[in-house]
Amino acid sequence: GENVEQHPSTLSVQEGDSAVIKCTYSDSASNYFPWYKQELGKRPQLIIDIRSNVGEKKDQRIAVTLNKTAKHFSLHITETQPEDSAVYFCAAGDNYGQNFVFGPGTRLSVLP
Amino acid sequence: EPEVTQTPSHQVTQMGQEVILRCVPISNHLYFYWYRQILGQKVEFLVSFYNNEISEKSEIFDDQFSVERPDGSNFTLKIRSTKLEDSAMYFCASSAQGQGNTEAFFGQGTRLTVV
């Protein structure tokens, strides 16, 4: 089955700096890669996703890159703000909305 | 904006008791999921459900667990005989069919505490 690893487990950055979170996956059949943000005590919320036919996707301050050959994908947050502080989970799954396997999460702290 | 709703938000139960967690997925979605998250840990997949049957389940989803879609709107997770280690946040999620839209929307979760 799919196995998703995520690094780092914790990340502290100064407000305004960039943050990068990296994930690797094992199943070459996975072709859908969402990123979720989870604030303390709240539900995971999708912030960006990428499909295997795309190498990079950007939405304002957030971007995701995918390298299918190497089986890794990364989340980039630029100009970080304190409200970006949360746990971020990457996930990998197939294109038919089935089982998503989540990474272990990265706790991002943006220091003012 | 449509959303997945879950009830109750918090359930406390005695070890060995049965619990039913309820979810109302987004109305035009066809895929339904249950996940759990033990405090401070990652979100873990339990089961996916499509076309009135389980399409995939993890090793966590043993014989103590069952899911049901008793009517056109509700999707339930039953734990037959709860154990202390079942204490976790349980999230329901749903997604639309097809390759063009596979975003999974999560409910707010039910915090299950087994004592």
Side-chain angles (χ1 to χ4, degrees), chain B residues 2-73:
Chain B
E3 61 178 21
V4 177
T5 56
Q6 288 184 244
T7 55
S9 56
H10 191 185
Q11 172 120 25
V12 181
T13 189
Q14 290 219 318
M15 191 169 56
Q17 295 296 304
E18 173 184 287
V19 294
I20 297 177
L21 310 183
R22 301 180 192 278
C23 170
V24 178
I26 293 172
S27 62
N28 63 342
H29 284 183
L30 300 176
Y31 291 84
F32 314 115
Y33 316 84
W34 283 101
Y35 295 86
R36 79 170 185 193
Q37 186 177 32
I38 296 170
L39 187 64
Q41 298 187 25
K42 70 174 176 179
V43 178
E44 297 176 293
F45 169 78
L46 293 178
V47 66
S48 61
F49 191 86
Y50 169 70
N51 199 26
N52 287 319
E53 60 182 16
I54 291 173
S55 50
E56 198 163 356
K57 60 183 181 179
S58 72
E59 60 272 13
I60 301 169
F61 194 87
D62 61 21
D63 291 343
Q64 295 295 329
F65 292 89
S66 62
V67 289
E68 195 177 35
R69 188 155 161 81
D71 52 43
S73 60

Side-chain angles (χ1 to χ4, degrees), chain A residues 38 43 46 96-99, chain B residues 31 33 37 55 103 106-107:
Chain A
Q38 187 179 31
R43 75 179 103 186
L46 183 75
Y96 293 93
Q98 300 291 314
N99 178 6
Chain B
Y31 291 84
Y33 316 84
Q37 186 177 32
S55 50
E103 177 179 348
F106 283 73

